[in-house]
Amino acid sequence: ISVELEGTNSSGQFGVGASLGYTHRNLFKGSELFNAKLQGSYEALSAKFSDFNKNYFEIGGETSVTFPRFLFPFLKRDIRKRFQASTQLTASYTYQRRPEYFTRTILSSQLSYIWNNRRNSSTRHSVDLINVSYVHIPQLSDAFKDKLTDAAREFSFTDQFILGSGYSLS
């Protein structure tokens, strides 16, 4: 179990944040790694830190399960032996409230494969096979909307369904 606390100061605006995490290192009795984290933050924009309706607020959570092997159909056994591999499933949710601007929710999930060659463990490969996110903007103030360019409104402040994949080498 882990606890993190932080304090922020953005242009004279004070804020606090906290998270609570949990890790289980043998979830299904096969060395699977389970992580869960809840987090929240609050930033005072008004003179009153306790004026909840005028200050920024964010809350969210993330969970992941990492399996210490490739979970991929049709993969030959000799390939599994050559690599030190893992498969990671991740899901997260974030709710952001910015009074006088917008309210936004972000829901995402990801499937990743991570591996090292057993002979050369200093090189790490990571493939994000699929990364799906949905961004929903249930509230956008008219005053804020009028200040945005058409491109900013279309690409940053409308509901978005995002599908991606990626590769990294380190």
Side-chain angles (χ1 to χ4, degrees):
I1 295 177
S2 63
V3 176
E4 297 176 22
L5 300 172
E6 68 178 28
T8 61
N9 182 349
S10 300
S11 303
Q13 311 299 329
F14 292 102
V16 294
S19 68
L20 176 64
Y22 171 75
T23 300
H24 190 297
R25 298 189 189 281
N26 199 17
L27 185 64
F28 302 117
K29 309 296 185 221
S31 298
E32 298 85 4
L33 180 65
F34 173 77
N35 283 304
K37 187 177 198 177
L38 294 174
Q39 54 202 30
S41 61
Y42 184 77
E43 186 174 346
L45 297 181
S46 67
K48 290 183 177 179
F49 192 79
S50 62
D51 192 355
F52 187 74
N53 292 328
K54 293 186 179 179
N55 296 323
Y56 287 1
F57 173 73
E58 183 173 328
I59 191 165
E62 180 177 305
T63 185
S64 68
V65 178
T66 304
F67 298 90
R69 60 194 166 282
F70 277 127
L71 293 181
F72 196 82
F74 316 114
L75 199 59
K76 293 183 180 182
R77 193 177 276 284
D78 63 329
I79 290 176
R80 290 183 199 169
K81 289 181 180 179
R82 268 188 19 215
F83 298 107
Q84 182 179 354
S86 61
T87 303
Q88 186 174 55
L89 300 166
T90 306
S92 66
Y93 174 81
T94 303
Y95 171 83
Q96 300 171 330
R97 190 188 58 143
R98 306 287 190 256
E100 301 176 14
Y101 297 102
F102 63 88
T103 300
R104 171 171 51 193
T105 61
I106 304 166
L107 178 65
S108 64
S109 62
Q110 181 172 310
L111 170 63
S112 301
Y113 294 107
I114 303 145
W115 73 91
N116 300 12
N117 190 318
R118 290 196 189 274
R119 293 182 193 151
N120 181 10
S121 63
S122 64
T123 303
R124 179 179 176 191
H125 303 268
S126 178
V127 172
D128 298 335
L129 187 62
I130 187 165
N131 187 336
V132 179
S133 296
Y134 179 67
V135 180
H136 176 58
I137 313 272
Q139 185 268 324
L140 184 64
S141 77
D142 291 333
F144 180 61
K145 192 186 304 183
D146 292 341
K147 293 179 185 178
L148 297 172
T149 64
D150 290 339
R153 186 172 34 252
E154 181 180 352
F155 296 115
S156 298
F157 293 97
T158 58
D159 292 353
Q160 302 284 330
F161 177 77
I162 305 162
L163 179 64
S165 62
Y167 170 78
S168 64
L169 172 69
S170 55

